[in-house]
Amino acid sequence: TMLILTCPAQLQRLEGALRRSLPLALPVHGAVMNINRGNPGEFEVVVDSWPDFGAVLARRSGEMPVDDCYRNTHAAFYRDVGAYRGLLETPGCLRWDTAFHIIGGSGGELGSTGEHWEHGTLGEPLVIWGSTRGWPLLTANPPRRLDPSVRVGSLSPSHVDLLNETWPYGGNSRSRRYLAELLRCFPNLCLQDGAGQPLSWCLTDHFGTGAHGYTLPAHRRRGHMQAVMVLAARRAQARGFFSFGHTATGNRPMQRLQEELGHQRLPGLCRFVLHNPGLGRAGP
C-alpha cells in the first residue's frame, strides 16, 4: 500500500517522528522540514501506512523529466526492509520508466535492495557527517581569521556555470539545471573577494544537506572552507535545520576538516542508488 501525506497536521507529526529516528532519517527529515516550511523544492512524501509507518519516501511531486536523475533524487527511510521494498514496488510510487536516484541512511540493506533492480547500479559510497554534540550541531570552533578583503555573501544565478564546472558530478546540461534550481530555491553561502567574485562556497539541497562545498584552487589553505562550513552550520541552526552532509570516501581533506569542526562520522555509508533505463542515451 501507499499513502501520500498532504495534511499539514500529518506532515508535522511525521517530522516529529523522523526526528526521533535521527541520524539515519536525516535526508528524509530535511525534506519534510522543507515541505513544512513552504515546500520550495515542490516535494511530497509517501508512506506504506499511517500513522504507524514502516517506510517513508520523499520524492518530487508532479511530472518528472524522463532522463534527469539529478532533479529526480529521492530520499528513503525505513524501519522495516520488507515495508520499504513493498512501498517501492507499489504501482505509482516510482516512475520506473524515468531515471532517478534514491539516497538512504546507512546504505546497508538499501544497497542490497538496489543491486536487484533492473538497470539499477550502486553509486559511489559517501561518508555521512553530523554532530557529536547532539542535534542540532552547536559549532564552538570559530572560523580562522580571514583576509580583511574577503566578504561573506551569497551566490547568484549568474554563478551557475562556475558551479557546474567545479562540481565533480556535474559538467552537463542536466547538472546545470539542477544547480540552478538549488540556487533559486535553497540557502547558500560563499566567500567573495573585493570584486565580489566567489572564492569558496557551500550549497544546500532539497534534503537540507550541505552540498558542493568547494574552494577555488588558487585560494586554498587559507581557512576559507572552514569559515564557510561554520557559518553555514550557524545559519542552518538559525532556521531550525541540522548541520550534516556527505563526503566522498577518498576526500580526506574534507573529512579532516569535518573532524576539526566537531562533526562525527555517522555509522555506515550512504549510497546513491541510480536507476536509469536510458543509461548511455544522449540527451539535452
Side-chain angles (χ1 to χ4, degrees):
T1 60
M2 180 187 76
L3 299 172
I4 303 176
L5 300 186
T6 57
C7 173
Q10 291 177 324
L11 291 165
Q12 289 289 346
R13 182 172 178 179
L14 177 62
E15 181 180 325
L18 292 170
R19 183 176 291 254
R20 293 189 291 272
S21 296
L22 297 177
L24 292 180
L26 272 170
V28 175
H29 180 266
V32 175
M33 287 189 69
N34 275 322
I35 292 172
N36 288 336
R37 290 155 182 77
N39 200 10
E42 299 181 352
F43 260 53
E44 64 186 9
V45 289
V46 297
V47 295
D48 64 314
S49 60
W50 184 260
D52 298 320
F53 61 89
V56 186
L57 184 75
R59 66 182 188 182
R60 188 179 296 274
S61 60
E63 191 68 23
M64 295 191 297
V66 173
D67 290 323
D68 191 345
C69 60
Y70 291 95
R71 296 186 66 241
N72 293 344
T73 298
H74 309 340
F77 170 72
Y78 59 89
R79 295 165 171 164
D80 175 80
V81 68
Y84 174 63
R85 188 186 298 272
L87 178 63
L88 296 189
E89 293 176 348
T90 301
C93 181
L94 294 172
R95 282 280 308 276
W96 293 98
D97 59 331
T98 67
F100 58 79
H101 280 106
I102 297 183
I103 180 174
S106 65
E109 296 190 31
L110 175 61
S112 300
T113 303
E115 289 174 335
H116 298 291
W117 292 353
E118 184 180 6
H119 309 297
T121 60
L122 288 177
E124 179 182 11
L126 301 174
V127 178
I128 316 171
W129 291 93
S131 167
T132 60
R133 304 188 178 94
W135 308 97
L137 167 70
L138 298 177
T139 304
N141 306 57
R144 186 188 306 177
R145 185 178 298 275
L146 300 173
D147 186 285
S149 65
V150 175
R151 296 289 184 267
V152 178
S154 299
L155 297 162
S156 73
S158 65
H159 297 128
V160 66
D161 288 321
L162 173 64
L163 296 178
N164 199 30
E165 293 166 2
T166 54
W167 192 31
Y169 308 102
N172 59 74
S173 60
R174 297 185 183 108
S175 61
R176 187 183 187 279
R177 285 195 295 267
Y178 170 73
L179 292 167
E181 180 177 348
L182 296 190
L183 288 177
R184 185 175 65 253
C185 298
F186 300 102
N188 68 76
L189 186 144
C190 78
L191 300 183
Q192 303 169 341
D193 63 17
Q197 295 303 307
L199 308 176
S200 182
W201 59 81
C202 180
L203 309 184
T204 308
D205 68 11
H206 305 75
F207 311 109
T209 316
H212 193 0
Y214 190 85
T215 300
L216 294 176
H219 300 276
R220 293 176 182 172
R221 302 185 183 278
R222 302 179 187 177
H224 290 161
M225 183 51 64
Q226 181 193 44
V228 167
M229 298 296 293
V230 170
L231 295 172
R234 291 174 178 171
R235 290 190 178 184
Q237 292 168 35
R239 298 172 54 242
F241 283 74
F242 300 119
S243 176
F244 76 102
H246 308 101
T247 305
T249 54
N251 190 350
R252 283 300 302 158
M254 181 61 80
Q255 293 175 33
R256 285 193 296 269
L257 175 58
Q258 297 285 12
E259 292 169 352
E260 292 171 2
L261 294 179
H263 285 198
Q264 177 186 12
R265 176 173 172 163
L266 302 183
L269 294 173
C270 178
R271 289 186 182 271
F272 282 75
V273 180
L274 169 64
H275 171 83
N276 191 353
L279 195 64
R281 185 167 63 226

